[in-house]
Amino acid sequence: MHENDESPLTRKLAAFVALSDAELSVLERLHQRRRSFKVGTDLVHQGQSDRAAYILSEGWVCSYKIQPDGTRQIVDFQIPGDFLGLRSVLLRTSDHSFEPVVDIRAAEVLAADLLEAFAQTPRLATAILWAASRDEAMVVEHLVGLGRRDADARMAHFLLELGSRLALVGMGGRAGYDCPLTQYHLADALGLSAVHVNRVLRQLRERGLVTFRNGRVTFDDYAALIDLADFDPAYLDQSGPLLKW
Amino acid sequence: MHENDESPLTRKLAAFVALSDAELSVLERLHQRRRSFKVGTDLVHQGQSDRAAYILSEGWVCSYKIQPDGTRQIVDFQIPGDFLGLRSVLLRTSDHSFEPVVDIRAAEVLAADLLEAFAQTPRLATAILWAASRDEAMVVEHLVGLGRRDADARMAHFLLELGSRLALVGMGGRAGYDCPLTQYHLADALGLSAVHVNRVLRQLRERGLVTFRNGRVTFDDYAALIDLADFDPAYLDQSGPLLKW
DNA sequence: CGCCAAGTTGATTGGCATCAAGAAATGTGG
DNA sequence: CCACATTTCTTGATGCCAATCAACTTGGCG
């Protein structure tokens, strides 16, 4: 597909375990069934229906819950290399829905294939479970942000986290990254109103910290932003744990 | 220990799968190494240290994260029958700390024992993973509450959720339940100030919905409370999924 | 009996939502 | 390629929810 056939997931996992050729080819085989989804077509991932997971290879997705009163809370965003609905393959739980933020391409993974891959290559299984556990840690961090950070710090923390995640799959760095999210997405994720998101972004820009504009996030003062957000990327990188295996 | 030797965990799992005698005895064996912890003695569960999990059999625990600015966000409470640090056994992640709310009694479970139990009784493994997935769903629901519910609804939802969880292990019902939490605990869990927690509780009491007093939660108008909280216990019960196995 | 944690209540402040209205960007069909 | 429609973004004005500050009360306990 691309010049090198390295998928974002491969790239992400490789950052934490050195995968053998055999493991790489098993991983590759998981990417067989490619599918596309357009914005607007909800990936209805409601429990009972299908028991497939996806590996996102291109584009962004958000997972969310709708409240009875109509408001929406975005639980997390998925970027290339992330799993969609991994849990609902292994167990039969799927408490939230998925919606593409932009047109996406993803590989469908059947439960059987995944379990077989796990059986064949335990190290790969460990790596994937590590990724899943990292996702959980992000949800927890998100919860902490909603509970105990004000709007500025929340936004700063969010933009930094996204930057770190994207850097892992080669889609961003200290300078910034391309970001297809609208201010409404930010609002629904951060528990703010869209109007206030706009004000917060303006303020961060005017303070010379970060610029969110035209689908691009630019870090103007990385260090100061980290300071404002009290950002500690330990929960993302966890560098070390897997290397020992 | 008690009149019948049924542990809270057994009781909880039994609500979702009918466990065979063999499975029950394996479960029993996991409860061998009993330990006690007193209030104040933090269960330092910081990643690297020990790789044991606990099954809580008596008392309450909270899991939390401390922010650099000193504020605390409680991620969840554990009640009898719940696991502590299950994830950190399987993976080496432990992003938050545990602290007893009252003196507790718990069974220590070594990674090896757990894995062996899983190998022996797949159905038990499924049941335990179901419980873990339920925990995750609760964290997500908590996140939604922080992002999109006002103080009243948040409190109401929290008290209802706790009631449902306790009912599952026979420690409460529609009438109410004993609750050792302080208003500070509620504040740290709900992302509110302790002062405001007090006001919200008073208001709920005066509206005839629920009374939180002297370590006891009393539901004065269950239906109205559910209505206020938009409480849908689907994410807790998930009745059905496991029964099919 | 006196101490300390937990709970209670009032007064004041401030962060963020809401309402409202317009400007810019993006998309769409003719 | 333009006219028009629909998002998306932007900014101001106003009000409310919940934080903060400050006392005071209550209850448990050595």
Side-chain angles (χ1 to χ4, degrees):
Chain A
M1 216 86 290
H2 303 73
E3 322 131 37
N4 57 2
D5 52 1
E6 186 182 59
S7 74
L9 175 58
T10 307
R11 186 156 181 170
K12 182 168 82 170
L13 296 182
F16 295 90
V17 229
L19 295 168
S20 70
D21 287 348
E23 286 156 351
L24 286 174
S25 77
V26 169
L27 198 48
E28 185 118 358
R29 230 169 301 138
L30 285 179
H31 284 77
Q32 223 99 70
R33 313 169 169 264
R34 301 187 171 276
R35 299 188 55 181
S36 297
F37 297 91
K38 294 209 170 296
V39 177
T41 51
D42 225 72
L43 301 190
V44 205
H45 222 316
Q46 307 294 33
Q48 312 307 28
S49 46
D50 58 352
R51 290 193 69 189
Y54 295 94
I55 300 169
L56 187 58
S57 55
E58 215 179 304
W60 294 35
V61 174
C62 70
S63 54
Y64 64 93
K65 281 194 86 160
I66 296 281
Q67 293 292 99
D69 69 359
T71 60
R72 176 173 78 159
Q73 177 65 47
I74 291 179
V75 175
D76 202 2
F77 294 99
Q78 280 75 41
I79 60 172
D82 286 346
F83 272 94
L84 303 181
L86 182 54
R87 252 191 308 163
S88 59
V89 176
L90 303 174
L91 309 160
R92 208 173 286 200
T93 311
S94 143
D95 40 354
H96 39 285
S97 318
F98 294 94
E99 174 187 287
V101 170
V102 293
D103 292 352
I104 62 165
R105 295 169 28 74
E108 187 174 349
V109 183
L110 303 181
D113 295 348
L114 189 63
L115 294 174
E116 195 194 323
F118 276 20
Q120 283 176 12
T121 56
R123 269 166 50 100
L124 185 58
T126 308
I128 288 178
L129 287 177
W130 163 82
S133 133
R134 179 168 170 271
D135 290 346
E136 275 188 50
M138 288 195 296
V139 172
V140 168
E141 194 64 31
H142 192 172
L143 186 151
V144 172
L146 286 173
R148 290 295 177 209
R149 273 193 271 267
D150 64 18
D152 294 0
R154 219 136 89 205
M155 178 68 76
H157 195 279
F158 174 80
L159 295 176
L160 284 167
E161 177 185 291
L162 217 42
S164 290
R165 294 172 62 186
L166 288 164
L168 205 56
V169 289
M171 298 177 66
R174 289 278 162 119
Y177 52 89
D178 291 323
C179 173
L181 303 178
T182 67
Q183 295 185 359
Y184 289 92
H185 284 121
L186 295 179
D188 284 346
L190 301 178
L192 301 170
S193 70
V195 173
H196 200 60
V197 162
N198 186 282
R199 291 190 223 280
V200 168
L201 286 174
R202 171 156 59 111
Q203 203 214 325
L204 291 177
R205 188 186 339 120
E206 286 171 354
R207 283 211 265 165
L209 295 173
V210 63
T211 304
F212 180 100
R213 197 155 245 182
N214 297 121
R216 176 91 196 161
V217 172
T218 309
F219 293 128
D220 302 317
D221 187 340
Y222 201 73
L225 199 62
I226 285 184
D227 188 55
L228 171 68
D230 269 332
F231 182 65
D232 174 8
Y235 71 100
L236 284 178
D237 299 330
Q238 295 160 307
S239 51
L242 275 202
L243 297 173
K244 295 175 190 151
W245 288 60
Chain B
M1 222 82 288
H2 302 72
E3 321 133 35
N4 55 3
D5 52 0
E6 188 183 59
S7 75
L9 175 59
T10 307
R11 186 156 182 171
K12 182 168 83 171
L13 297 182
F16 295 91
V17 227
L19 295 169
S20 69
D21 286 348
E23 285 156 353
L24 286 173
S25 76
V26 169
L27 198 47
E28 185 118 357
R29 230 169 299 139
L30 285 179
H31 284 78
Q32 222 98 69
R33 312 168 170 265
R34 300 187 171 278
R35 300 188 56 181
S36 297
F37 297 92
K38 294 208 170 296
V39 177
T41 51
D42 225 74
L43 302 189
V44 205
H45 222 316
Q46 307 296 31
Q48 313 305 28
S49 47
D50 59 350
R51 290 192 69 189
Y54 295 94
I55 300 168
L56 188 57
S57 54
E58 215 179 304
W60 294 35
V61 175
C62 70
S63 54
Y64 64 94
K65 281 194 85 160
I66 296 280
Q67 293 290 101
D69 69 0
T71 60
R72 177 174 76 158
Q73 176 64 48
I74 291 179
V75 175
D76 202 1
F77 293 99
Q78 281 73 41
I79 60 172
D82 287 346
F83 273 93
L84 302 180
L86 182 54
R87 251 192 308 165
S88 60
V89 177
L90 302 174
L91 310 160
R92 206 173 288 200
T93 310
S94 141
D95 39 355
H96 41 286
S97 318
F98 295 95
E99 175 188 287
V101 170
V102 292
D103 293 351
I104 61 165
R105 294 168 28 74
E108 188 175 349
V109 183
L110 303 181
D113 294 349
L114 190 63
L115 293 174
E116 196 195 321
F118 276 19
Q120 282 176 13
T121 57
R123 268 167 51 100
L124 185 58
T126 307
I128 288 178
L129 288 178
W130 164 80
S133 132
R134 180 169 170 270
D135 290 346
E136 273 192 66
M138 288 195 295
V139 172
V140 169
E141 194 64 33
H142 192 173
L143 185 151
V144 172
L146 285 173
R148 291 295 176 208
R149 273 193 271 267
D150 64 18
D152 294 1
R154 219 137 91 205
M155 178 68 75
H157 194 279
F158 174 80
L159 295 177
L160 284 167
E161 177 185 292
L162 215 43
S164 291
R165 294 172 62 186
L166 288 163
L168 205 56
V169 290
M171 298 178 67
R174 289 278 163 118
Y177 51 89
D178 292 322
C179 174
L181 303 179
T182 67
Q183 294 185 359
Y184 289 93
H185 284 121
L186 295 179
D188 284 346
L190 301 178
L192 301 171
S193 70
V195 172
H196 199 59
V197 162
N198 186 285
R199 291 190 224 279
V200 168
L201 287 175
R202 169 157 59 111
Q203 203 215 324
L204 291 177
R205 186 183 344 115
E206 288 171 352
R207 284 211 264 165
L209 296 172
V210 63
T211 305
F212 181 100
R213 197 155 244 184
N214 298 122
R216 176 88 196 165
V217 172
T218 308
F219 293 127
D220 302 317
D221 188 341
Y222 201 73
L225 199 62
I226 284 184
D227 189 55
L228 170 68
D230 269 332
F231 182 65
D232 173 8
Y235 70 100
L236 284 179
D237 299 329
Q238 296 161 306
S239 51
L242 275 202
L243 297 173
K244 295 176 191 150
W245 289 60

